[in-house]
Amino acid sequence: MRLIVIISIFSMSLLSCQQAIFRDARKIDAELEAYRMKDLGQSVSSIEACWKKDSLLVQLIDSVLIRSNDIKIGFLNLAISRAQYTFDRGAMKPTVSGVIQPSLRKFSKYTMDGVGNYDTQFSPNITKEQIIPEHLPDVMIGLQSSWEVDIWGKLSKRKKASALRYLATESGQQWYITSLVSEVAGMYGQLVALDQELDILKTNIGIQFSALSLVKIQKEAGKVNESAVQQLEAQWLNSRAQEGLVLQQIIELENQLRYWLNQPTKKIARSQYPFNCSLDSSMYAQIQIDQLERRPDVRQAKLELEAQLLNKQSADLALKPSVVLSGMLGVQGFQPAYLFQLPSSLAYQLIGGITAPWLNRSALYSNISRENARWKALDLSYQNALLKGFLEWDTQVKSLAYLQRMDQLKEREVMLTKGAIATVGTLFTTAKANYLEVLTAQQNALRSELELLEISRKRWIHAIQLYRVLGGGW
């Protein structure tokens, strides 16, 4: 009956421990959320509207975020950081371990145990039943516990530092995702630009071939010489060579996207020339320092700095005395039949101690110097992150303003050069213009179209980089 009661109590203890574990996990989530709400800011960028109209781009980004092994590695690192926080959090609590300790002891005859705890003079009045056996078995079943009292706050600082490092890792993962989204959107835009460049080249190759055929006919009629034919043919061959270069660039960009998708044969679907990201850069011409702190990389640097400050303070507190309480509670007997003869078999021990470093203080001072140097290095890293964020914002905003003006001028130039081709072509057929004018008009038209396309591509890239600079929000 006593055994059944003991098993029931043990089962109830296991159930209560399991419930405590789940409560502890929920408490950890609540604690981390409290730190997060204190340190994180909301960052929503309206720049996303520039490309969210393109469903193929949105699908591509979502697929990369789901399938990228690099992102999966980042989440595993996040799990490692969370586990470290749980470990440091547990260091503040008492350690409790179950003990089942069988032993066999032999006492010296010249000890209190050896003489039977009755007479140190070996008097003949002690019977054999009163003398402790020379070889004494012993079984102990119970719990052992140890707890360092955090009187100086050393352990609590380590715990908070781990929480901040977890949030820093979380911000680092968020920054990587933001950067990856920018990279994918940028490469997508470059692919669309290359598709458009390919079409421009093919159109111009057709125009150049028609002009070359016409010049060959005129040469046979004696109206032009071989030089005209050679120069127009050279121009035609140059355009065809550029076509091959564009195809090579397309393959490189597609393969990089396939790497992120973790699909080496995936076809990269894309829209036809969606360059419609006309941002008014004046919307972003003013920025406050707190807006820069919303950037995940800046937030990561700040959290790591705060965590290291706590580590530095904890290292300083290691010089102070530590208070450690330890104890044991269980049942003990030299025969199994006596183990549960309560209260006689009950055994316990309570020990309290104060320890202070003495001979190893040089090692502690070295640790303090190391943590202090790390704190200073992270402070400089935080300053660099803020400065870098500001300069990146300045670059993107001003570049967009210049590109917007360039785009307007270049559109006018393209319209004029295309008109010049038609005009020179008509004059050439009526012998009022020579082949050099035709050649020049075609070169100018091709150059201006490609330059306009390049400006549009740069506007797309700078708009996406501005999204990244402002902290993302995908």
Side-chain angles (χ1 to χ4, degrees):
M1 183 66 183
R2 184 180 291 110
L3 182 61
I4 294 174
V5 172
I6 293 171
I7 293 174
S8 300
I9 294 173
F10 183 69
S11 300
M12 292 175 63
S13 299
L14 284 178
L15 180 61
S16 63
C17 287
Q18 188 179 30
Q19 292 173 346
I21 289 172
F22 285 122
R23 286 196 303 270
D24 200 47
R26 289 193 293 268
K27 190 174 180 182
I28 289 173
D29 289 334
E31 288 177 357
L32 289 173
E33 185 62 25
Y35 287 120
R36 184 182 292 108
M37 293 304 294
K38 187 191 302 184
D39 290 300
L40 297 186
Q42 298 297 324
S43 176
V44 178
S45 174
S46 61
I47 304 173
E48 291 175 358
C50 287
W51 65 68
K52 280 193 172 179
K53 298 175 184 177
D54 190 334
S55 60
L56 291 177
L57 173 55
V58 173
Q59 292 173 17
L60 177 62
I61 292 175
D62 288 343
S63 297
V64 167
L65 295 180
I66 292 171
R67 301 186 60 86
S68 172
N69 285 336
D70 292 334
I71 288 183
K72 294 175 184 177
I73 291 172
F75 281 116
L76 290 174
N77 290 331
L78 197 59
I80 293 172
S81 182
R82 180 187 175 91
Q84 181 62 44
Y85 167 73
T86 307
F87 177 83
D88 289 335
R89 183 177 181 269
M92 298 185 64
K93 299 179 179 179
T95 60
V96 180
S97 56
V99 177
I100 300 178
Q101 184 177 337
S103 64
L104 180 64
R105 301 172 65 185
K106 178 187 181 301
F107 297 102
S108 167
K109 185 177 180 180
Y110 305 109
T111 64
M112 290 293 291
D113 294 315
V115 299
N117 294 335
Y118 282 91
D119 190 344
T120 60
Q121 300 299 319
F122 303 102
S123 302
N125 60 337
I126 300 176
T127 65
K128 291 183 178 180
E129 290 76 13
Q130 293 173 324
I131 297 175
I132 295 175
E134 183 178 3
H135 299 282
L136 182 67
D138 185 55
V139 179
M140 192 273 176
I141 300 176
L143 299 173
Q144 286 183 344
S145 178
S146 178
W147 179 40
E148 181 179 352
V149 183
D150 191 26
I151 56 176
W152 310 112
K154 177 179 64 177
L155 299 179
S156 62
K157 290 182 184 299
R158 288 179 186 172
K159 177 189 124 178
K160 185 176 180 181
S162 291
L164 294 177
R165 277 195 297 271
Y166 168 78
L167 295 179
T169 305
E170 188 179 61
S171 294
Q173 175 73 346
Q174 196 174 23
W175 178 246
Y176 177 76
I177 290 174
T178 297
S179 300
L180 185 58
V181 168
S182 300
E183 289 285 339
V184 172
M187 288 190 176
Y188 180 90
Q190 291 185 64
L191 282 173
V192 171
L194 290 171
D195 289 342
Q196 189 171 354
E197 184 177 347
L198 205 57
D199 283 353
I200 291 172
L201 286 171
K202 288 179 178 178
T203 301
N204 278 273
I205 286 170
I207 294 172
Q208 292 166 4
F209 184 76
S210 298
L212 176 60
S213 300
L214 180 59
V215 168
K216 285 182 178 179
I217 293 172
Q218 290 189 341
K219 180 203 167 189
E220 292 176 357
K223 294 183 179 180
V224 297
N225 55 28
E226 180 64 21
S227 175
V229 175
Q230 290 175 344
Q231 291 191 55
L232 286 173
E233 186 174 3
Q235 183 189 48
W236 174 64
L237 292 172
N238 180 67
S239 296
R240 291 178 62 188
Q242 289 185 50
E243 184 181 12
L245 180 61
V246 171
L247 291 171
Q248 177 192 354
Q249 293 173 345
I250 288 174
I251 287 295
E252 290 177 358
L253 291 172
E254 286 182 336
N255 282 339
Q256 180 59 56
L257 290 173
R258 290 184 183 113
Y259 167 76
W260 284 325
L261 287 168
N262 201 21
Q263 292 178 298
T265 59
K266 173 74 173 177
K267 182 181 179 187
I268 309 300
R270 46 192 180 269
S271 302
Q272 290 291 318
Y273 322 142
F275 282 123
N276 189 20
C277 197
S278 301
L279 281 180
D280 183 5
S281 59
S282 61
M283 294 171 57
Y284 309 95
Q286 298 294 329
I287 194 168
Q288 303 296 328
I289 194 69
D290 60 336
Q291 290 176 280
L292 283 177
E293 289 187 345
R294 295 176 187 174
R295 278 179 47 148
D297 63 325
V298 176
R299 189 164 61 243
Q300 180 184 13
K302 181 180 180 182
L303 288 169
E304 288 178 347
L305 176 62
E306 292 176 353
Q308 186 56 36
L309 177 61
L310 292 170
N311 280 343
K312 185 172 80 73
Q313 293 172 350
S314 179
D316 292 334
L317 292 173
L319 294 170
K320 294 183 177 295
S322 298
V323 178
V324 179
L325 303 177
S326 61
M328 178 276 293
L329 174 66
V331 293
Q332 189 174 14
F334 57 84
Q335 289 185 12
Y338 297 146
L339 280 177
F340 301 104
Q341 297 292 333
L342 299 174
S344 298
S345 62
L346 182 66
Y348 66 87
Q349 183 182 35
L350 295 175
I351 301 175
I354 298 177
T355 61
W358 182 33
L359 295 178
N360 66 334
R361 292 178 72 89
S362 60
L364 296 176
Y365 281 123
S366 297
N367 187 50
I368 291 173
S369 298
R370 180 179 61 187
E371 297 298 330
N372 189 53
R374 286 177 177 173
W375 175 73
K376 291 179 179 178
L378 287 173
D379 183 40
L380 294 174
S381 297
Y382 175 57
Q383 295 177 35
N384 283 342
L386 280 174
L387 179 60
K388 180 181 178 183
F390 175 81
L391 294 177
E392 284 182 345
W393 159 80
D394 188 65
T395 298
Q396 305 307 327
V397 168
K398 290 180 179 178
S399 296
L400 277 171
Y402 296 142
L403 288 169
Q404 184 176 356
R405 176 60 177 162
M406 290 168 62
D407 187 76
Q408 296 171 353
L409 297 173
K410 191 59 67 174
E411 282 183 352
R412 176 64 178 167
E413 179 185 342
V414 169
M415 185 177 64
L416 292 173
T417 54
K418 285 185 175 181
I421 289 179
T423 302
V424 172
T426 302
L427 293 174
F428 184 70
T429 55
T430 58
K432 293 183 179 179
N434 58 38
Y435 75 92
L436 290 176
E437 293 176 286
V438 174
L439 182 65
T440 302
Q442 291 178 353
Q443 289 175 339
N444 289 339
L446 177 60
R447 175 188 51 76
S448 60
E449 279 193 272
L450 294 179
E451 287 176 352
L452 177 61
L453 179 60
E454 179 65 13
I455 291 173
S456 299
R457 186 190 68 82
K458 285 183 176 179
R459 291 184 69 188
W460 174 271
I461 295 297
H462 283 288
I464 290 171
Q465 289 302 313
L466 185 58
Y467 153 85
R468 183 186 66 83
V469 165
L470 294 178
W474 188 263

